[in-house]
Amino acid sequence: MSARTARSVFGLCCWALLGFSACVIKLSDKNAPLPNGGVTGPAADCTQLTPLPPGGPGTGDAKEKFVGRYELEDPGRARFDWSGNYVSARFEGTEVSVGIEAPVPMVFTAVIDGQEPIKFLVDATRSSYLVASGLPAGVHEVTVHRDSEPLFGACAFTGFNFGAGKILPPTERPRRIEYIGDSITCGYGNEGINATCPYDVPADPSNPNGDRVPITENQYLAYGSIAARALFADAVTLCYSGKGVYQNYREGQIGEGAAAGPANAKPDPDAKTVVPQYYERTLASEPNSPKWDFTKEPEPQVVVINLGTNDFTRDVDQDSNADGIDLAKFQQAYYDFVGVVRQRRPNAHIFLLLPPMVTDKFPLDEARSDFRNVLNQIVSTRNQNGDGKVYFAELVEMGVRYGLGCDYHPNLEVHRIMADQIIGAIRSKTCW
């Protein structure tokens, strides 16, 4: 491993109370986003390839449609904790409510007929939420999307209520994308107004040590969700703030548990759990969660991996100095994980992304260049060994020119730019 210097960010970066992932110092404004992320490999010949159709109303059983990972031991309570999980239904009627049971405050997004998204808060005091009423008579579609990530614990979907209406067969989408990432993929702080805004706020302002609400995290408006909707694809999102490929940003023995306040902090059994381990779980927040049965879901045609920011930014002592990275260990762990994904997804196009927050000035000297080299070596080795459907793509180096979200994370504008890059990269291989 070449010598490198950790960059101090004292005085430049401010952490939110949960303290996940990295911040970003000021960059030169010369770095423009590469079209399609500069994705490697030849583009598909769309005159010779018949792309999968975008889908439409189904003709099967009348039921809800679950996208993501759910524990379904109790048929009336579909438990889940991954942000980006959503449940949708087509129905005939004029109103719809959704049943959700949550142990702590969480943020969800509801959408009716593809119109403007509606954010709403769920908590332990209620179990049913009115999504829409007074709709025109006829057929409608509702989608309820979890924005809060796994660290807030599992919640349960208990069903839609359509009043006097009735449920219809759901929309079918042959296209499917799997996203694997960290706070960036979760949309951490993307609705924040500046770099030092709080990621979360007290649910009860009079009790600052109580439950907190991640009010600025909107996974529905994160780059992966935006790209999937533009491509008419279902999206399964597996993301967790602060987690890495072989090491995490923080690995202390005290965690926030179910995102409770400091008064309720408890030992964290997952302090050193990394994303390749989470990838095997049905519920990310529960160490004893049953392993996910990959055979019970459609194979995605596309897998997008956006990991490594926390490996590079690791700061166990919380002194605002990156602890350093062993590039050989990082490369081997990442390469091995791609192999696992390939085993699970034998036919998928797999995209390895260079994240937006890592630069050649932060968190380590030459970090972005080193990261780029590692991913290109992984892709080159996979390609040389006969796997031509693994690619490298480079997300925009965000800097400050687009503004910043909370804790120096990408804001909505950066997520929009990244979505455009991902859309182009995926279309270049699939012709969607």
Side-chain angles (χ1 to χ4, degrees), residues 10-25:
F10 180 78
L12 290 174
C13 296
C14 178
W15 304 101
L17 292 174
L18 287 179
F20 288 118
S21 279
C23 56
V24 172
I25 61 175

Side-chain angles (χ1 to χ4, degrees), residues 6-9 313-324 363:
R7 287 285 183 173
S8 172
V9 292
T313 317
R314 176 184 173 91
D315 179 19
V316 172
D317 296 333
Q318 302 183 27
D319 62 356
S320 297
N321 285 286
D323 296 339

Side-chain angles (χ1 to χ4, degrees), residues 5 29 37 52 62-63 79 92 104 112 164 212-213 263 268 277 281 304 334 342 353 365 407:
T5 303
D29 287 345
L52 287 170
K63 61 182 180 179
R79 299 181 68 237
E92 188 172 350
V104 297
I112 298 290
R212 305 185 68 83
V213 183
D268 183 2
Q277 294 168 299
R281 291 185 186 176
V304 177
Y334 205 129
R342 172 56 74 214
L353 303 185
D365 284 338
D407 291 340

Side-chain angles (χ1 to χ4, degrees), residues 106-385:
M106 302 180 191
V107 180
F108 279 74
T109 292
V111 180
I112 298 290
D113 298 335
Q115 300 302 307
E116 283 297 310
I118 305 163
K119 283 180 65 175
F120 66 101
L121 184 68
V122 305
D123 59 32
T125 66
R126 298 173 58 189
S127 60
S128 181
Y129 302 85
L130 179 66
V131 174
S133 62
L135 297 170
V139 176
H140 302 281
E141 184 168 26
V142 58
T143 299
V144 174
H145 179 113
R146 174 166 164 156
D147 292 313
S148 300
E149 59 181 282
L151 61 93
F152 287 85
C155 61
F157 170 81
T158 58
F160 288 115
N161 186 326
F162 303 109
K166 64 178 182 179
I167 193 168
L168 302 172
T171 296
E172 296 178 352
R173 296 281 184 214
R175 303 173 183 179
R176 193 175 183 89
I177 304 171
E178 181 175 77
Y179 293 98
I180 307 170
D182 49 34
S183 59
I184 298 167
T185 301
C186 287
Y188 181 110
N190 60 354
E191 290 197 305
I193 59 174
N194 56 46
T196 58
C197 63
Y199 156 74
D200 60 351
V201 298
D204 179 359
S206 67
N207 181 18
N209 290 327
D211 292 332
R212 305 185 68 83
V213 183
I215 196 66
T216 63
E217 182 174 63
N218 191 329
Q219 209 286 321
Y220 184 82
L221 295 180
Y223 72 93
S225 295
I226 296 171
R229 290 193 294 275
L231 294 168
F232 299 99
D234 284 332
V236 173
T237 303
L238 309 169
C239 63
Y240 207 127
S241 285
K243 301 298 183 176
V245 179
Y246 91 100
Q247 62 182 15
N248 297 327
Y249 171 56
R250 299 268 169 89
E251 292 186 351
Q253 294 305 302
I254 300 297
E256 285 76 20
N264 296 318
K266 60 182 181 180
D268 183 2
D270 276 328
K272 295 186 178 182
T273 304
V274 289
V275 172
Q277 294 168 299
Y278 283 112
Y279 186 63
E280 302 298 322
R281 291 185 186 176
T282 299
L283 301 176
S285 62
E286 299 185 6
N288 295 322
S289 171
K291 285 191 174 183
W292 178 245
D293 186 348
F294 288 85
T295 68
K296 290 186 177 181
E297 65 176 337
E299 182 187 354
Q301 296 85 23
V302 172
V303 176
V304 177
I305 304 177
N306 185 0
L307 291 171
T309 299
N310 294 301
D311 297 84
F312 273 80
T313 317
R314 176 184 173 91
D315 179 19
V316 172
D317 296 333
Q318 302 183 27
D319 62 356
S320 297
N321 285 286
D323 296 339
I325 185 170
D326 185 322
L327 288 177
K329 287 184 177 179
F330 175 65
Q331 181 169 327
Q332 187 63 56
Y334 205 129
Y335 182 87
D336 290 344
F337 183 50
V338 173
V340 170
V341 173
R342 172 56 74 214
Q343 182 181 22
R344 301 295 194 185
R345 315 305 191 191
N347 303 299
H349 299 277
I350 302 176
F351 297 83
L352 313 185
L353 303 185
L354 181 61
M357 297 175 71
V358 175
T359 80
D360 276 337
K361 297 295 183 181
F362 177 84
L364 304 163
D365 284 338
E366 309 304 324
R368 193 170 182 88
S369 295
D370 287 341
F371 205 149
R372 182 186 295 112
N373 290 338
V374 164
L375 294 187
N376 273 314
Q377 288 175 31
I378 293 171
V379 170
S380 177
T381 301
R382 296 290 312 185
N383 293 167
Q384 291 172 10
N385 290 338

